[in-house]
Amino acid sequence: MCIRDRAETMETLKQGLFTYPSVRYLQVEAKCPALLFRTLQLVVVVYIVVYSIVLQKAYQEYQPVVAETFSKVKGSAVNSNQSVYDTIDLVVPPLLENSIFITTNFVRVNETKDSLCPLVNVSGYSCAGPGDCPTNEMVYATNDGYTTGNCSKAGAGGWCIVRGWCANVDPSTNMGTLPDFLGDTPELSGDVVDGVQDWSLFVRINYAFPKFGVTLSTASTQLDPGREVEPSLVVGLRISTVGLSLIHI
């Protein structure tokens, strides 16, 4: 039994070592299957060459840019009262994402307090008693307060009382007056700051493609080695004015 198994094993090993398989092809003349096969081959070739290589440029490596932007504003301005302001006063908040906020007009209200005050000379809020005044109604174009439903006095000549930001508040009664800037068109009042359009705007951009080992910056002369820059300007920084930048937006 063992001798027979050994002989069979040797025969199997011999066949495995000294024989090899061969593929035999059979050529069949059939136009429809052959045409379908060649059509599919052509579609695959066109997709690879035209779409993947030519249009999508799949043979190229790709990486999104990694960049950071630095911006700075410098200058001074004056308002109608000849008060001088610089960037610390008017660029609030000092840091914003992808933007700069510059105050060009503001309303000055001194010593106001969250309290009560009558809506004197505000159209639609005269009263002769509590029944003439609305309750919890938002009052626009004043101190943006809410009506309390009370009247400043009984009889003709009274004004509805509003809770909001009031000036000249009496601590004993918590009653004050409307802020001084209020009038017929409070949205047109305030201090217009003149000279902001002439402020200098500095913009610097650093960007890189780490995958390709490429790092560039607008503060580098490699972007334009031959350009001429005035001695007073820092080479590479993109310098403009606020007014000129707004024109090109």
Side-chain angles (χ1 to χ4, degrees), residues 113-175:
K113 182 181 179 182
D114 183 9
S115 57
L116 303 174
C117 49
L119 295 171
V120 178
N121 296 327
V122 178
S123 177
Y125 291 97
S126 60
C127 61
D132 297 335
C133 297
T135 303
N136 293 328
E137 179 181 292
M138 182 68 179
V139 182
Y140 297 97
T142 59
N143 57 349
D144 291 334
Y146 286 88
T147 55
T148 61
N150 298 322
C151 187
S152 60
K153 67 177 182 178
W159 298 95
C160 295
I161 296 177
V162 64
R163 170 173 287 280
W165 293 103
C166 304
N168 305 316
V169 179
D170 185 354
S172 61
T173 61
N174 198 32
M175 185 72 70

Side-chain angles (χ1 to χ4, degrees), residues 14-244:
K14 180 179 178 181
Q15 291 179 358
L17 291 175
F18 300 104
T19 59
Y20 63 93
S22 178
V23 179
R24 179 176 295 181
Y25 293 94
L26 178 64
Q27 185 174 355
V28 180
E29 293 185 4
K31 294 182 179 180
C32 289
L35 181 61
L36 178 61
F37 177 70
R38 298 304 178 188
T39 302
L40 293 177
Q41 282 185 323
L42 180 62
V43 170
V44 173
V45 171
V46 171
Y47 172 81
I48 295 175
V49 174
V50 177
Y51 180 77
S52 298
I53 297 179
V54 177
L55 298 180
Q56 296 295 320
K57 295 181 173 60
Y59 59 90
Q60 296 180 347
E61 289 190 277
Y62 172 80
Q63 182 187 33
V65 63
V66 179
E68 57 182 353
T69 304
F70 299 93
S71 59
K72 184 178 182 181
V73 181
K74 293 181 66 177
S76 60
V78 296
N79 66 351
S80 57
N81 296 325
Q82 298 303 310
S83 299
V84 180
Y85 302 92
D86 60 10
T87 56
I88 298 178
D89 302 313
L90 300 181
V91 181
V92 179
L95 294 177
L96 285 175
E97 183 177 358
N98 299 325
S99 60
I100 299 175
F101 182 84
I102 302 176
T103 303
T104 58
N105 187 4
F106 64 92
V107 175
R108 184 189 299 274
V109 181
N110 296 325
E111 297 182 1
T112 59
K113 182 181 179 182
D114 183 9
S115 57
L116 303 174
C117 49
L119 295 171
V120 178
N121 296 327
V122 178
S123 177
Y125 291 97
S126 60
C127 61
D132 297 335
C133 297
T135 303
N136 293 328
E137 179 181 292
M138 182 68 179
V139 182
Y140 297 97
T142 59
N143 57 349
D144 291 334
Y146 286 88
T147 55
T148 61
N150 298 322
C151 187
S152 60
K153 67 177 182 178
W159 298 95
C160 295
I161 296 177
V162 64
R163 170 173 287 280
W165 293 103
C166 304
N168 305 316
V169 179
D170 185 354
S172 61
T173 61
N174 198 32
M175 185 72 70
T177 60
L178 292 177
D180 294 337
F181 74 88
L182 297 177
D184 295 334
T185 54
E187 65 276 10
L188 300 180
S189 64
D191 291 326
V192 177
V193 183
D194 185 29
V196 174
Q197 66 276 8
D198 298 324
W199 283 11
S200 298
L201 177 61
F202 301 83
V203 179
R204 174 178 173 177
I205 304 175
N206 298 331
Y207 49 101
F209 300 91
K211 186 175 182 179
F212 306 105
V214 177
T215 302
L216 297 173
S217 173
T218 55
S220 174
T221 56
Q222 61 180 310
L223 297 180
D224 189 2
R227 73 175 185 269
E228 296 182 0
V229 182
E230 297 183 12
S232 60
L233 302 182
V234 179
V235 175
L237 287 176
R238 295 300 184 258
I239 302 177
S240 181
T241 62
V242 173
L244 187 60

